[in-house]
Tab-separated table of all heavy atoms in Angstrom:
chain	number	residue	atom	x	y	z
A	1	HIS	N	122.239	197.614	154.441
A	1	HIS	CA	121.170	196.981	155.203
A	1	HIS	C	119.891	196.738	154.405
A	1	HIS	O	119.000	196.043	154.890
A	1	HIS	CB	120.833	197.827	156.441
A	1	HIS	CG	121.987	198.021	157.369
A	1	HIS	ND1	122.542	196.992	158.104
A	1	HIS	CD2	122.721	199.124	157.660
A	1	HIS	CE1	123.551	197.442	158.828
A	1	HIS	NE2	123.684	198.737	158.561
A	2	LEU	N	119.812	197.297	153.196
A	2	LEU	CA	118.661	197.068	152.328
A	2	LEU	C	119.126	196.283	151.114
A	2	LEU	O	119.938	196.785	150.326
A	2	LEU	CB	118.040	198.401	151.875
A	2	LEU	CG	117.604	199.379	152.979
A	2	LEU	CD1	117.072	200.669	152.351
A	2	LEU	CD2	116.550	198.751	153.871
A	3	PRO	N	118.672	195.054	150.927
A	3	PRO	CA	119.121	194.260	149.776
A	3	PRO	C	118.924	195.010	148.463
A	3	PRO	O	117.826	195.503	148.176
A	3	PRO	CB	118.232	193.010	149.841
A	3	PRO	CG	117.881	192.884	151.287
A	3	PRO	CD	117.739	194.296	151.788
A	4	GLY	N	120.006	195.134	147.694
A	4	GLY	CA	119.947	195.857	146.431
A	4	GLY	C	119.863	197.357	146.596
A	4	GLY	O	119.714	198.088	145.614
A	5	GLY	N	119.926	197.826	147.841
A	5	GLY	CA	119.861	199.255	148.100
A	5	GLY	C	118.462	199.841	148.038
A	5	GLY	O	118.302	201.063	147.935
A	6	VAL	N	117.441	198.991	148.140
A	6	VAL	CA	116.054	199.464	148.040
A	6	VAL	C	115.211	198.896	149.188
A	6	VAL	O	115.460	197.800	149.678
A	6	VAL	CB	115.423	199.051	146.686
A	6	VAL	CG1	116.102	199.766	145.532
A	6	VAL	CG2	115.486	197.538	146.485
A	7	PRO	N	114.164	199.626	149.610
A	7	PRO	CA	113.294	199.120	150.672
A	7	PRO	C	112.258	198.104	150.209
A	7	PRO	O	111.608	197.467	151.035
A	7	PRO	CB	112.611	200.395	151.193
A	7	PRO	CG	112.644	201.344	150.056
A	7	PRO	CD	113.901	201.037	149.296
A	8	LEU	N	112.089	197.956	148.919
A	8	LEU	CA	111.190	196.953	148.344
A	8	LEU	C	111.842	196.422	147.077
A	8	LEU	O	112.277	197.215	146.235
A	8	LEU	CB	109.825	197.570	148.010
A	8	LEU	CG	108.828	196.664	147.269
A	8	LEU	CD1	108.378	195.516	148.161
A	8	LEU	CD2	107.619	197.461	146.779
A	9	HIS	N	111.896	195.090	146.923
A	9	HIS	CA	112.699	194.511	145.834
A	9	HIS	C	112.232	194.942	144.452
A	9	HIS	O	113.017	194.997	143.513
A	9	HIS	CB	112.726	192.977	145.940
A	9	HIS	CG	111.420	192.308	145.610
A	9	HIS	ND1	110.416	192.140	146.537
A	9	HIS	CD2	110.956	191.771	144.460
A	9	HIS	CE1	109.392	191.522	145.974
A	9	HIS	NE2	109.688	191.285	144.723
A	10	TRP	N	110.940	195.289	144.282
A	10	TRP	CA	110.459	195.749	142.980
A	10	TRP	C	111.165	197.015	142.525
A	10	TRP	O	111.203	197.314	141.331
A	10	TRP	CB	108.959	196.014	143.034
A	10	TRP	CG	108.108	194.803	142.936
A	10	TRP	CD1	108.528	193.499	142.818
A	10	TRP	CD2	106.680	194.761	142.934
A	10	TRP	NE1	107.460	192.655	142.758
A	10	TRP	CE2	106.307	193.402	142.829
A	10	TRP	CE3	105.700	195.728	143.031
A	10	TRP	CZ2	104.980	192.994	142.812
A	10	TRP	CZ3	104.371	195.322	143.005
A	10	TRP	CH2	104.025	193.972	142.895
A	11	MET	N	111.695	197.776	143.461
A	11	MET	CA	112.354	199.027	143.095
A	11	MET	C	113.656	198.801	142.332
A	11	MET	O	114.260	199.759	141.850
A	11	MET	CB	112.608	199.873	144.346
A	11	MET	CG	111.345	200.367	145.008
A	11	MET	SD	111.710	201.366	146.479
A	11	MET	CE	110.050	201.773	147.038
A	12	LYS	N	114.064	197.547	142.200
A	12	LYS	CA	115.242	197.216	141.386
A	12	LYS	C	114.867	196.947	139.931
A	12	LYS	O	115.755	196.723	139.100
A	12	LYS	CB	115.957	195.979	141.946
A	12	LYS	CG	116.517	196.147	143.343
A	12	LYS	CD	117.324	194.936	143.772
A	12	LYS	CE	116.457	193.697	143.860
A	12	LYS	NZ	117.215	192.505	144.344
A	13	ASP	N	113.588	196.961	139.621
A	13	ASP	CA	113.127	196.517	138.305
A	13	ASP	C	113.130	197.603	137.230
A	13	ASP	O	112.500	197.442	136.194
A	13	ASP	CB	111.706	195.933	138.427
A	13	ASP	CG	111.683	194.595	139.129
A	13	ASP	OD1	112.772	194.060	139.399
A	13	ASP	OD2	110.581	194.089	139.416
A	14	TRP	N	113.848	198.685	137.465
A	14	TRP	CA	113.904	199.746	136.462
A	14	TRP	C	114.921	199.459	135.365
A	14	TRP	O	114.998	200.188	134.382
A	14	TRP	CB	114.255	201.084	137.125
A	14	TRP	CG	113.148	201.609	137.971
A	14	TRP	CD1	112.916	201.343	139.293
A	14	TRP	CD2	112.088	202.475	137.554
A	14	TRP	NE1	111.780	201.994	139.719
A	14	TRP	CE2	111.254	202.702	138.672
A	14	TRP	CE3	111.773	203.094	136.346
A	14	TRP	CZ2	110.121	203.515	138.608
A	14	TRP	CZ3	110.647	203.899	136.295
A	14	TRP	CH2	109.839	204.106	137.408
A	15	GLY	N	115.720	198.421	135.526
A	15	GLY	CA	116.715	198.097	134.501
A	15	GLY	C	117.898	199.033	134.500
A	15	GLY	O	118.640	199.115	133.509
A	16	THR	N	118.109	199.755	135.600
A	16	THR	CA	119.234	200.678	135.717
A	16	THR	C	120.410	199.993	136.410
A	16	THR	O	120.210	199.031	137.163
A	16	THR	CB	118.822	201.918	136.531
A	16	THR	OG1	118.281	201.503	137.800
A	16	THR	CG2	117.773	202.719	135.789
A	17	PRO	N	121.631	200.469	136.202
A	17	PRO	CA	122.784	199.834	136.852
A	17	PRO	C	122.709	199.876	138.378
A	17	PRO	O	123.255	199.011	139.056
A	17	PRO	CB	123.970	200.664	136.340
A	17	PRO	CG	123.492	201.234	135.040
A	17	PRO	CD	122.043	201.498	135.243
A	18	PHE	N	122.044	200.885	138.921
A	18	PHE	CA	121.795	201.006	140.356
A	18	PHE	C	120.527	201.834	140.510
A	18	PHE	O	120.104	202.525	139.572
A	18	PHE	CB	122.979	201.674	141.077
A	18	PHE	CG	123.522	202.891	140.391
A	18	PHE	CD1	122.926	204.141	140.548
A	18	PHE	CD2	124.627	202.793	139.545
A	18	PHE	CE1	123.412	205.258	139.893
A	18	PHE	CE2	125.122	203.916	138.880
A	18	PHE	CZ	124.515	205.148	139.060
A	19	PRO	N	119.870	201.772	141.661
A	19	PRO	CA	118.607	202.500	141.820
A	19	PRO	C	118.793	204.010	141.716
A	19	PRO	O	119.793	204.559	142.178
A	19	PRO	CB	118.146	202.108	143.234
A	19	PRO	CG	118.852	200.835	143.529
A	19	PRO	CD	120.172	200.919	142.828
A	20	LEU	N	117.806	204.663	141.121
A	20	LEU	CA	117.772	206.111	141.055
A	20	LEU	C	117.043	206.610	142.307
A	20	LEU	O	115.912	206.207	142.565
A	20	LEU	CB	117.036	206.568	139.801
A	20	LEU	CG	117.111	208.050	139.445
A	20	LEU	CD1	118.519	208.402	138.948
A	20	LEU	CD2	116.074	208.391	138.372
A	21	SER	N	117.687	207.465	143.087
A	21	SER	CA	117.085	207.965	144.320
A	21	SER	C	116.314	209.257	144.054
A	21	SER	O	116.784	210.134	143.325
A	21	SER	CB	118.162	208.226	145.377
A	21	SER	OG	118.715	207.005	145.826
A	22	VAL	N	115.147	209.368	144.675
A	22	VAL	CA	114.288	210.536	144.510
A	22	VAL	C	114.563	211.528	145.633
A	22	VAL	O	114.525	211.169	146.817
A	22	VAL	CB	112.804	210.129	144.526
A	22	VAL	CG1	111.903	211.356	144.475
A	22	VAL	CG2	112.498	209.191	143.367
A	23	ALA	N	114.820	212.769	145.264
A	23	ALA	CA	114.981	213.836	146.252
A	23	ALA	C	113.645	214.484	146.569
A	23	ALA	O	113.365	214.829	147.722
A	23	ALA	CB	115.968	214.889	145.747
A	24	SER	N	112.801	214.641	145.547
A	24	SER	CA	111.474	215.223	145.755
A	24	SER	C	110.593	214.887	144.562
A	24	SER	O	111.083	214.560	143.481
A	24	SER	CB	111.562	216.745	145.935
A	24	SER	OG	112.024	217.365	144.751
A	25	ALA	N	109.288	214.986	144.786
A	25	ALA	CA	108.319	214.766	143.710
A	25	ALA	C	107.150	215.707	143.920
A	25	ALA	O	106.616	215.804	145.033
A	25	ALA	CB	107.844	213.312	143.700
A	26	LYS	N	106.758	216.391	142.870
A	26	LYS	CA	105.656	217.338	142.961
A	26	LYS	C	104.951	217.399	141.620
A	26	LYS	O	105.601	217.516	140.572
A	26	LYS	CB	106.180	218.730	143.341
A	26	LYS	CG	105.088	219.769	143.487
A	26	LYS	CD	104.130	219.442	144.638
A	26	LYS	CE	103.057	220.512	144.801
A	26	LYS	NZ	102.044	220.122	145.806
A	27	GLY	N	103.636	217.333	141.655
A	27	GLY	CA	102.866	217.396	140.425
A	27	GLY	C	103.201	216.234	139.510
A	27	GLY	O	103.070	215.074	139.887
A	28	ALA	N	103.643	216.534	138.299
A	28	ALA	CA	103.987	215.495	137.321
A	28	ALA	C	105.491	215.411	137.108
A	28	ALA	O	105.942	214.951	136.058
A	28	ALA	CB	103.290	215.762	135.999
A	29	GLU	N	106.265	215.829	138.118
A	29	GLU	CA	107.725	215.812	137.984
A	29	GLU	C	108.386	215.199	139.213
A	29	GLU	O	107.897	215.349	140.334
A	29	GLU	CB	108.261	217.227	137.765
A	29	GLU	CG	107.813	217.835	136.447
A	29	GLU	CD	108.353	219.237	136.213
A	29	GLU	OE1	108.741	219.906	137.205
A	29	GLU	OE2	108.375	219.670	135.043
A	30	VAL	N	109.494	214.523	138.954
A	30	VAL	CA	110.331	213.947	140.004
A	30	VAL	C	111.724	214.538	139.870
A	30	VAL	O	112.271	214.608	138.764
A	30	VAL	CB	110.405	212.407	139.868
A	30	VAL	CG1	111.504	211.821	140.759
A	30	VAL	CG2	109.063	211.776	140.209
A	31	THR	N	112.293	214.974	140.972
A	31	THR	CA	113.675	215.449	140.981
A	31	THR	C	114.534	214.395	141.659
A	31	THR	O	114.252	213.998	142.792
A	31	THR	CB	113.808	216.781	141.738
A	31	THR	OG1	112.960	217.752	141.123
A	31	THR	CG2	115.250	217.284	141.706
């Protein structure tokens, strides 16, 4: 239901084969 699997098309611009999903983010780190 989300084109490209993302809620905003810019989120496809990482150059990855598919989007990387974030489980959590805190401080200067993303898991």
